[in-house]
Amino acid sequence: MAVLACSRQAGTTVGSSPEVEARVDKLLGQMTLQEKIGQMNQVSAGGEVSNYADALRKGQIGSILNEVDPAKINEFQRIAVEESRLGIPLLVGRDVIHGFHTVFPIPLGLAATFDPALVEEGARVAALEATAQGVRWTFSPMLDIARDPRWGRMAEGSGEDTYLDARMGEAMVRGYQGASLDSTSMAACIKHFVGYGAAEGGRDYNSTFLTERQLRNIYLPPFEAAVKAGALTLMTSFNDNDGVPSTGNTFVVKDILRGEWGFDGLVVTDWNSMGEMINHGFGTDRKDVAEKAANAGVDMDMMTYGFLSHLEELVKGGAVKEKTIDKAVRNILRVKMLLGLFEHPYVDVEAARAVQYAPEHLASAQKSVEESVILLKNDGVLPLKGGRILVTGPLADAPHDQLGTWAFDGQKEHTVTPLQALRARFPGRVDYVPGLRYSREKRDNFADVTAAARRADIVLAFLGEEAILSGEAHSLADLNLVGSQSALLAALKATGKPVVAIVMAGRPLTIERDLPNVDALLYAFHPGTMGGPALARILAGEVNPSGKTPVTFLRTVGQAPMYYSHHMTGRPYNGETLLEDIPLEAGQTSLGNTSYYLDYGAYPLFPFGFGLSYTTFAYSGIGLDKKVYGADDTIQVTFTLANTGTCEGTEVAQVYVRDLVGSITRPVKELKAFLRVSLLPGESRQLTVQLPVSELSFTGLDGKRKVEPGDFQLWVAGSSQEGSPVAFAVQ
Ligand code: NOJ
């Protein structure tokens, strides 16, 4: 049932209305200062509800996180609504990051689908399951651009690209919150604001040093897009940028988010990120950091208890104005009202059960895996033909690990592993010898696996990372396959049997050394509940892989950070010699003096946007409707895409643009549009993409976002490293 008619009003990003504002004001007028501050306090609610009863009755808790039992959530709400003076319901939060019970691929895998509509559908499924149990707020989507795969949280976002990240972020916001707000709406929380993905060295929680122009051109646009899509809440990040921790950063929170974008949703800190400003050396004590956070525009404190303990004193002493508190509480109450919590604070515990793992939810999760898996190599061994199959590797039957990071509520009993799915799909044809039980296991004798491989016609090796190796606080300095997995592949290769590797991981691992030992390679990220059936269908050829890399795959970790949209240097790489090609006796010699590594060159293993198919595609006839455009025009890009192979397939056609000369140096290419196109064998189709010239804008030297007139190039291709450009100009 729709709770409120929320047509977007001017001046409100969350879709409030004069009626809602009047109700908020009325309630605010009845609140004591202590009750207001109570709303600004969020508490992690493990254990018995009775432990929180006293604080709830006093109105000292505005929100809880980490309780998912619907009966307990009802009890929390009952005390808040029926036993506190003003009866304000709680906002119940949870990290529902890639599904609630039905777990979807990790967000990085979802980004590989390049399919925002499907991602929106997945977020809707997550919202249906979570809200049925009383969870009305998810701490997702994570919009942090991540260009260093050592950072374990790359798993939680959409990868390296600003445009792709923005489209995925909007899709998730729409999916979580629904077309209009009702009892199945789960407030999205866009996080982590801002720059957290640029943590130095890929070490989690580390400092960032992003200039204002980098923020405005690369890191902020996905947040702005998600605010425009109606995101109800936002979370500040753990990092300090150029010396200022986000939770106390007035420039990004107050000036940009509130001021420039007019965000009137709720801003919450990350877990104790207010308190951590003391560790940063940005505040003397909890009172000091509470003052800094409140004055920066933060509304709710997650787990520092800084607001609850000190705001009253700070207001009385004049360091924080009561009108700052009123603004924060308005932002909180507004979200609660828009979600309809005042009318419907309780959930139906029995009905909640029926919603979890519904067949259509599992089907949606399976489709998401089918579109997210990337075919990185295929020497003709896939799809599978007849014969015996050896299944091996630590991820073949690891229901917990295939769920990936932040899958608290996914149950491994409901997870279908590749081994289970392949046995069901190919009855009597599958042998299973794990070889390694865990990805980190070390072993040097694979006699049991190789003997089994010799009896088989093809080997399917499921490798990668355990779930615990990626996600928050799980940075790695070495990105090769861990443990003895590479040795297992080498031993399998030595049997002479065709070997297919299926990698499940939270990040792009450096798999260059393994490629010669495999005849085909599928990259599945951590695929979630339905990973098994989806992979079985892809391997069998019922589904043709269509995923594309949402992030650059490095040859070696020393290349990090490497991303396709880098700026042109004064000495671009020009195909110069590598060190290994220079004879030792040559002595001192010039190696070219351009930008590359002597030992690893200038290119990655797989570029952004790359992915093969069981068929082949050809692009032709790329043309634009004009040669010269005005700033308000829309460019019509037409091209013909043909399926030149022998089976049906889906291609992600990508449009890249380069601004040749600017008031500042510009990226060599930037993704500006993409579309998924399905074609029958032999079919070809003429397609049109509308590209508003305003998409070419950037923030230049004068700090203003605009399109600078001049010459541009445009590519339409199947990856960021293919195709030839067509020229146009903007006047
Ligand atoms: C810390 C993480 O950084 C954040 O992403 C998460 O939402 C909160 N903890 C709550 O669990």
Side-chain angles (χ1 to χ4, degrees):
M1 94 249 36
V3 174
L4 291 160
C6 296
S7 60
R8 193 65 50 81
Q9 304 280 317
T12 167
T13 65
V14 297
S16 191
S17 63
E19 302 82 71
V20 171
E21 293 308 301
R23 280 178 71 192
V24 168
D25 280 342
K26 187 166 172 223
L27 183 51
L28 194 67
Q30 296 164 10
M31 294 171 82
T32 63
L33 179 60
Q34 291 89 334
E35 282 165 334
K36 290 176 189 171
I37 292 167
Q39 284 301 305
M40 297 169 72
N41 186 36
Q42 187 189 47
V43 170
S44 183
E48 293 309 310
V49 184
S50 54
N51 297 341
Y52 304 88
D54 192 39
L56 287 168
R57 286 187 195 108
K58 289 185 184 144
Q60 290 177 342
I61 302 177
S63 169
I64 57 166
L65 74 159
N66 291 338
E67 180 55 73
V68 291
D69 176 342
K72 280 190 174 176
I73 290 178
N74 277 347
E75 180 57 7
F76 268 104
Q77 293 287 27
R78 195 193 59 73
I79 302 173
V81 169
E82 294 173 28
E83 296 183 14
S84 73
R85 189 177 79 89
L86 292 169
I88 301 174
L90 295 165
L91 191 51
V92 179
R94 178 69 158 175
D95 288 281
V96 181
I97 306 297
H98 48 115
F100 185 57
H101 280 119
T102 303
V103 177
F104 284 68
I106 55 168
L108 190 61
L110 289 173
T113 67
F114 281 70
D115 190 346
L118 184 63
V119 170
E120 179 176 340
E121 180 184 300
R124 191 87 281 271
V125 166
L128 290 174
E129 292 191 356
T131 58
Q133 294 200 184
V135 173
R136 300 298 305 277
W137 186 15
T138 177
F139 306 118
S140 171
M142 184 186 98
L143 300 177
D144 298 310
I145 300 290
R147 295 177 166 182
D148 189 332
R150 290 174 294 182
W151 192 52
R153 304 200 78 169
M154 180 183 268
E156 299 173 48
S158 297
E160 74 181 42
D161 186 63
T162 302
Y163 182 82
L164 178 62
D165 190 32
R167 301 296 82 77
M168 290 300 163
E170 293 161 346
M172 288 191 204
V173 168
R174 288 194 300 264
Y176 290 138
Q177 297 185 176
S180 61
L181 297 176
D182 65 18
S183 60
T184 68
S185 295
M186 176 161 67
C189 183
I190 52 178
K191 70 185 189 185
H192 305 85
F193 199 68
V194 59
Y196 182 40
E200 214 176 33
R203 291 185 296 280
D204 207 1
Y205 313 122
N206 214 332
S207 300
T208 60
F209 296 93
L210 300 167
T211 66
E212 184 180 339
R213 270 204 295 277
Q214 283 174 301
L215 285 174
R216 291 193 183 275
N217 288 325
I218 301 165
Y219 293 86
L220 288 168
F223 285 93
E224 190 176 6
V227 165
K228 285 197 180 127
L232 291 171
T233 81
L234 172 142
M235 184 187 291
T236 59
S237 57
F238 285 128
N239 59 297
D240 64 310
N241 186 46
D242 199 12
V244 186
S246 298
T247 301
N249 192 328
T250 38
F251 174 58
V252 293
V253 181
K254 206 172 184 173
D255 300 349
I256 296 183
L257 176 74
R258 301 289 195 198
E260 292 179 25
W261 303 347
F263 181 66
D264 60 345
L266 185 175
V267 174
V268 66
T269 71
D270 201 342
W271 183 287
N272 191 35
S273 66
M274 183 190 298
E276 286 177 16
M277 291 203 284
I278 305 168
N279 302 353
H280 278 288
F282 192 71
T284 45
D285 52 24
R286 235 167 26 149
K287 183 174 164 195
D288 189 21
V289 292
E291 175 188 331
K292 290 196 160 91
N295 285 335
V298 166
D299 303 320
M300 189 179 275
D301 166 8
M302 182 191 286
M303 292 305 288
T304 296
Y305 295 100
F307 283 170
L308 193 71
S309 316
H310 300 289
L311 268 188
E312 187 176 351
E313 200 185 335
L314 285 164
V315 170
K316 292 199 169 134
V320 176
K321 299 203 166 60
E322 185 151 4
K323 78 169 199 267
T324 303
I325 307 291
D326 286 351
K327 208 167 178 189
V329 178
R330 265 198 199 95
N331 294 337
I332 295 165
L333 296 178
R334 181 178 299 123
V335 168
K336 291 185 176 184
M337 283 183 190
L338 289 171
L339 288 173
L341 280 164
F342 284 85
E343 292 78 8
H344 305 285
Y346 305 121
V347 291
D348 179 336
V349 177
E350 284 313 307
R353 262 192 222 121
V355 179
Q356 313 306 320
Y357 299 112
E360 62 273 22
H361 298 180
L362 297 174
S364 177
Q366 181 170 325
K367 184 153 195 278
S368 301
V369 188
E370 289 170 1
E371 288 194 10
S372 96
V373 172
I374 311 169
L375 180 64
L376 290 176
K377 175 177 179 177
N378 189 12
D379 286 345
V381 297
L382 289 180
L384 295 174
K385 310 187 168 84
R388 290 206 72 75
I389 301 165
L390 172 66
V391 171
T392 184
L395 274 298
D397 196 29
H400 170 73
D401 287 315
Q402 80 178 53
L403 294 181
T405 185
W406 292 108
F408 293 138
D409 303 295
Q411 291 145 323
K412 58 182 187 179
E413 301 71 37
H414 287 265
T415 303
V416 190
T417 67
L419 179 65
Q420 292 165 351
L422 287 162
R423 278 184 170 146
R425 181 73 186 65
F426 301 109
R429 281 174 54 191
V430 174
D431 292 318
Y432 173 52
V433 180
L436 296 163
R437 294 249 165 222
Y438 306 99
S439 61
R440 280 175 295 158
E441 190 182 335
K442 295 218 169 80
R443 197 180 157 187
D444 49 21
N445 182 343
F446 295 107
D448 54 345
V449 202
T450 50
R454 286 193 191 90
R455 291 192 298 271
D457 296 293
I458 192 160
V459 179
L460 304 181
F462 291 85
L463 311 157
E465 296 184 310
E466 295 157 58
I468 199 186
L469 292 179
S470 64
E472 186 179 347
H474 296 137
S475 297
L476 292 175
D478 182 348
L479 301 182
N480 289 331
L481 285 173
V482 288
S484 300
Q485 297 183 96
S486 291
L488 170 62
L489 281 180
L492 289 166
K493 179 68 180 173
T495 65
K497 294 296 168 104
V499 178
V500 179
I502 300 94
V503 180
M504 295 185 189
R507 51 161 73 77
L509 295 170
T510 48
I511 47 172
E512 183 174 58
R513 66 177 183 180
D514 306 300
L515 283 181
N517 290 330
V518 301
D519 299 283
L521 192 141
L522 288 165
Y523 215 87
F525 299 98
H526 286 129
T529 306
M530 297 304 280
L535 282 163
R537 290 191 73 206
I538 289 173
L539 290 162
E542 278 171 27
V543 169
N544 192 345
S546 59
K548 297 276 189 175
T549 52
V551 66
T552 302
F553 276 56
L554 306 180
R555 296 180 58 200
T556 179
V557 70
Q559 291 178 306
M562 180 179 264
Y563 48 92
Y564 83 94
S565 62
H566 60 88
H567 285 214
M568 187 58 96
T569 70
R571 293 191 175 193
Y573 180 63
N574 200 18
E576 281 82 4
T577 325
L578 295 180
L579 202 53
E580 64 191 26
D581 299 324
I582 306 285
L584 289 177
E585 59 275 20
Q588 281 270 274
T589 180
S590 164
L591 291 169
N593 298 341
T594 66
S595 179
Y596 72 113
Y597 293 104
L598 292 177
D599 50 355
Y600 276 87
Y603 300 117
L605 185 60
F606 299 110
F608 175 84
F610 176 82
L612 301 168
S613 162
Y614 294 153
T615 188
T616 46
F617 297 99
Y619 291 81
S620 63
I622 300 164
L624 310 178
D625 61 328
K626 290 202 243 172
K627 285 208 160 329
V628 181
Y629 295 90
D632 299 326
D633 287 349
T634 292
I635 306 172
Q636 281 210 31
V637 185
T638 51
F639 63 98
T640 301
L641 183 63
N643 179 342
T644 48
T646 52
C647 62
E648 187 179 347
T650 301
E651 167 73 331
V652 178
Q654 301 153 47
V655 178
Y656 294 91
V657 173
R658 175 164 175 197
D659 184 352
L660 295 187
V661 179
S663 61
I664 55 169
T665 63
R666 305 283 296 121
V668 295
K669 268 183 188 182
E670 289 179 293
L671 183 69
K672 292 294 174 192
F674 56 82
L675 69 162
R676 290 177 58 88
V677 187
S678 297
L679 295 171
L680 296 169
E683 186 184 353
S684 88
R685 205 178 301 160
Q686 202 190 45
L687 298 150
T688 304
V689 175
Q690 310 279 349
L691 174 58
V693 171
S694 58
E695 278 289 342
L696 311 177
S697 65
F698 66 97
T699 301
L701 274 183
D702 60 2
K704 298 204 176 80
R705 190 165 187 99
K706 59 173 181 275
V707 185
E708 290 185 358
D711 291 329
F712 291 78
Q713 289 179 325
L714 180 147
W715 292 254
V716 185
S719 86
S720 61
Q721 243 174 47
E722 292 163 57
S724 343
V726 293
F728 70 93
V730 174
Q731 258 179 5

